[in-house]
Structure formats: structure tokens, C-alpha cells
Amino acid sequence: MNNSLPRLIDGMVATLRKEVIPRIEGEYARGQAFGIIYMLNNLKLRCSWSNAFLMEQLKALEGVSRDLAPLAPDLAGAPLPDIHAPAALPEVGTLEAMRDAGDGRVCDLIDWLAANRARLPAEAAASVESIVDAYLARQAKYEISTSAKPMFVEMSGGAEKT
Amino acid sequence: MREPPGGSSGDAPAFETVARLRGRLGQYLSGAVGRTVSVERVTKFPAGFSWITCEVSLSGFPGVNEAILRVGPPYGLFAPYSAMPEFESLSALAASEVPAPRVYHASDDPAILGAPFFLSEKVEGDTPLPWGSQGQTIQGARRESLAADFISALAALHRFDWRATPLAKWGEGVTHENAALKQVDDWEARFRRWALRPHPMAHRALQWLRGNAPVAERLSLVHGDYRLGNFLEREGRISAILDWELVHLGDPIEDLGWAFLPQYRGGTPLVCGLASETDFLSRYEAQAGRPVGPASLRFYRVFSLLKLAFTHMAAARCFENGLFHDLRMPAMATQISPVFRQIGRALDEAA
């Protein structure tokens, strides 16, 4: 891919809006097309080309750098590439599993606190609750800040909101 | 392709194919009324994530030419379904002051259409949606008239003497003391079925609800999804309350908590885009004959937000499982976090 992902999505959305949707027959089908726009807008806020995709390109660059290096003494002043790919980057699936395990632990803590509150120092229980609530607020705020503006009017009516 | 429950191997369920649907439904209705009934035409409505709704033209069905067929598909939002709660409650309400469609026949036997279904009256009217037709709000005399009908119908539902009907059997095990917690249990079970990942806010809210469950002042028939978008309007009046799939016995304040959700205000500060909270409560209390306790209302507002978050999780689950490709499903799923933020604020206010 030679374009940035955000620009690619902007282009797809503009094409759908200007060229495709006006020619679609039927409210439901147009609503679904607006659904595609909405989901693309969400992807734009959360996605980038994947680590694995870029890593493969870096490894190729590392290879060409390694292959050229022995020739350096004969190529005085040549701008030889000297690229080193990072040893490893976590896979998205690994990060997702870590997040889910962490959230699972927070769920367990919330349930445990409710079951054991009576025997805990009131101040400690209140502090745990306050810290957990701050965590929940932070996660919700981030999730919302990386979500596109809802398009339920368009999706249900199959027409641009007026 | 989905395996057809009760259909011949390799075939889509009868409700998925218009020709087979017409044949099977006609056969069933002929047997039910003891004369030949044919289904002339079936038109599917595009709206809805749960039950499939079709308009059907009938020939030979006593006194009815046009009817509504509702089918609960195995891939619907709240599947698996039974047609019986909706059918039994609407049958019982036929003689009440609640504007609701008459129901004719129902069956959960998958051998007939491949899914539970019921046939009901076709009531004339349009459905104002929570997000407004093209974002427009309901105004003036029309709003006042709809508000009056909306509040009156709810009060009538909650006054309805279900004990004097076959719905009395629904009361087994439901008490004033456990009505709220039974609903929390039911929805927690759904949450555990639907969630695709751990949700600490859901646990936080469930624990709060368990610690703050009110005793119901009254046990009533509860609609379960009473809101803008679930009634038909004709000439400025409500002609029918629709979508009774979540009907149950419980604390009537539950319906108020749901109707009061910000998501159903149609871009206005008004309850369901129709009446201010104060106005709604005073008119409801006068007609229902009982005051609405602030603590109960607070409980059911939080409960309703959590139900809404769980419904969004159901949408995510349906889409993720590949049972539905409707893009409104993942769009709904994007709303889990905004609802969680509202729950967090509601819990802060309650502290």
C-alpha cells in the first residue's frame, strides 16, 4: 500500500457518498451503505498498517543492508542502507489477550470486593472502588475518543441527515 | 447455510423462502380454523434486529384479509425465541385499555415455519424512531397527544389485573421482594452468553444493582422495551404498542427506567421526545395510582443502561458469529462504551 490508511478510508467514504449511495435503490440498502461508511470511519480512528506488514518490509531492508555491508570498502562514500529491524514486536492478538486477561482480573476484583466488603476496612474498600472507577472512566473515555460520530439516522433512513 | 430446524435436510427454513412460507402458513392456518386459508402475498419489513416482521395477505381467514406475521429466527438478537410470552400477553390484554394488536395464532413448533411465530392484527400507523425521521423531533399538538397516549397506555398496562387472566401462571416464584433481582439474574445470564470479552463495568454495575435492589410496590405486567420506536402512530394518536418480546411480570418502575433512557429522547431533553420527566412522572403517578419512589427509579435507570449495554453486546455477538451481516449490528456494538460512561456517571450520582 502506498497511500496512508486514513486517506484511503477518506477516499472510500467520499466515493460511497458521492458516487455510489445516490445510485442505490432502496432505503435498507442505502442504510447499509451508510453503515459501511460509519464502520470505515471507526477503522480510520483505530487502525494503521499492521506491525507484521511493516516488519516484513523492515526485515527485507535489513537483508539488503547485510548483503551490501561487505562491499562497503569498495564503495567509498556510497549511501549504503544500514537498517536493523526490531527483534520482535508483540502481535496484536497477544496484546488483546493481555488486555482481556487484565480486564478479567479487574472483574474478579470487583466481584471479590462485593463479596468481602463487610470484613474489610471501610477505607480500603472505598479506595479500591475509587481506583477501579477511575480505571473504568479512563478506558471508556479513550474508547469514545477513538470512535466515529454515530450515523444511526442515516443508517435507519438510508439518507443523509438534514 | 443454516441448518433448518424441522425442514427437510439441505433446505432453508420455510420462513426464509416466500413460496414455502406461504404454503406452510396457509396449511397451518387452514388446520387451525377448519377451512381453506391461502396466503396470497408476503412482504417483509426491513426494520428490526430481532423478530422478522412481515405483512401477509390472507384469503379464507375469518374476518381478516391483512395480518402481521412475526417470526423469531434462530439467528435473531435475543434467540432462541418463544412466541408464547408475546402471544399470551397480547391475548390477555385484548380486553384491556392498552392499545395493542389482537393476536390470532401462534406456535413454537419448528416443523411449521422453521422458527417460532405468531400472527396478529395489522394495525395502521407509522413508527416514529428514537433518532427521528431525518433527525426531526416531534412537536406541538402532535407531541402533546402522543405523550398523553404514551403515558396512559403505560399506566393502563401497569394497572392491568393479570391475576384475573391466564397470565396468573407467570406469577409463580415472582414476589415483590425478588422481582428486581430476578431481572438482574436473567440479564446477567444473557451477559455471560453474549459478551465477547471481559467487561469490568458490567461487573461493577451488577454488584451495585445487587446491593441496591428495591422491593416492588406492585407486581405488574412489564413491557420490557417501552419506548419511542415501539409504538404505531396514526393521525397524532398511538394506535398500538408494539414489540412485546421482553414482556414479563415485575416491578412496573422497570418500564419507566427504560423509557427514561437518554438514547430514546430523539435529540430532546424529553422522555422519549414527548414529555419532561417531571410531567411524565406526575401524569403517570396520577393514572397508575401509585407514587414512583426515587430510589426505585434510580435503580431501574442504572438497570436499563446495563440492559442496553448488554443488548449492544448481543449485537456484537450476533455479528461476530457470522449469523447476521446487517451493519447496524456492529454499529450498535460501538455504543457499549458510551453507555458504560453513562453508567459510571449514574453510579457517581447515586453515591
Side-chain angles (χ1 to χ4, degrees), chain B residues 212-257:
Chain B
N212 292 276
V215 173
E217 291 273 320
R218 165 190 265 173
L219 287 181
S220 296
L221 206 52
V222 174
H223 181 280
D225 193 9
Y226 199 83
R227 62 172 172 84
L228 181 62
N230 276 345
F231 63 75
L232 286 173
E233 172 194 2
R234 189 181 188 197
E235 295 170 359
R237 303 294 308 270
I238 290 180
S239 50
I241 305 294
L242 303 176
D243 288 342
W244 294 77
E245 67 178 286
L246 294 174
V247 66
H248 59 275
L249 283 185
D251 187 334
I253 312 304
E254 187 187 333
D255 273 336
L256 273 73

Side-chain angles (χ1 to χ4, degrees), chain B residues 68-268:
Chain B
I68 295 295
L69 174 70
R70 298 254 288 163
V71 180
Y75 49 82
L77 197 60
F78 296 137
Y81 292 107
S82 166
M84 291 309 136
E86 197 157 353
F87 182 74
E88 290 174 1
S89 58
L90 288 172
S91 299
L93 287 167
S96 76
E97 299 167 56
V98 182
R102 284 174 294 150
V103 281
Y104 305 127
H105 292 279
S107 176
D108 281 345
D109 182 355
I112 302 168
L113 298 186
F117 69 94
F118 68 92
L119 193 72
S120 73
E121 176 187 11
K122 183 194 168 195
V123 180
E124 295 297 333
D126 296 317
T127 312
L129 293 171
W131 33 90
S133 170
Q134 299 300 295
Q136 289 161 5
T137 55
I138 301 168
Q139 307 273 1
R142 176 182 167 223
R143 183 175 76 202
E144 176 48 39
S145 169
L146 289 175
D149 285 352
F150 189 69
I151 296 165
S152 295
L154 188 61
L157 173 66
H158 294 163
R159 286 194 316 265
F160 178 67
D161 183 11
W162 54 271
R163 291 180 178 84
T165 74
L167 299 183
K169 68 184 179 192
W170 290 13
E172 196 175 324
V174 184
T175 66
H176 292 253
E177 289 73 25
N178 73 10
L181 285 176
K182 276 179 85 68
Q183 283 304 303
V184 173
D185 289 344
D186 284 356
W187 280 90
E188 182 173 357
R190 291 178 169 127
F191 161 60
R192 295 194 182 281
R193 215 165 61 233
W194 293 335
L196 291 168
R197 51 176 275 209
H199 288 289
M201 180 54 96
H203 286 248
R204 174 82 174 86
L206 284 165
Q207 297 300 351
W208 185 88
L209 290 168
R210 292 194 180 288
N212 292 276
V215 173
E217 291 273 320
R218 165 190 265 173
L219 287 181
S220 296
L221 206 52
V222 174
H223 181 280
D225 193 9
Y226 199 83
R227 62 172 172 84
L228 181 62
N230 276 345
F231 63 75
L232 286 173
E233 172 194 2
R234 189 181 188 197
E235 295 170 359
R237 303 294 308 270
I238 290 180
S239 50
I241 305 294
L242 303 176
D243 288 342
W244 294 77
E245 67 178 286
L246 294 174
V247 66
H248 59 275
L249 283 185
D251 187 334
I253 312 304
E254 187 187 333
D255 273 336
L256 273 73
W258 188 254
F260 277 39
L261 281 176
Q263 282 78 358
Y264 302 134
R265 298 196 171 210
T268 75

Side-chain angles (χ1 to χ4, degrees), chain A residues 34-45:
Chain A
F34 280 113
I36 294 172
I37 291 177
Y38 177 54
M39 297 320 298
L40 284 171
N41 285 338
N42 275 288
L43 290 174
K44 181 183 161 187
L45 292 171

Side-chain angles (χ1 to χ4, degrees), chain A residues 1-9 12 43 46-55 57 89 92:
Chain A
M1 289 296 177
N2 292 310
N3 285 110
S4 71
L5 186 61
R7 175 64 194 105
L8 205 57
I9 288 176
M12 290 191 274
L43 290 174
R46 295 188 186 192
C47 292
S48 56
W49 301 128
S50 74
N51 277 359
F53 175 77
L54 293 169
M55 190 71 158
Q57 294 179 319
L89 289 174
V92 171

Side-chain angles (χ1 to χ4, degrees), chain B residues 42-58:
Chain B
V42 175
T43 309
K44 185 179 167 185
F45 294 150
F49 308 101
S50 188
W51 287 71
I52 295 168
T53 306
C54 306
E55 183 181 320
V56 293
S57 299
L58 302 172

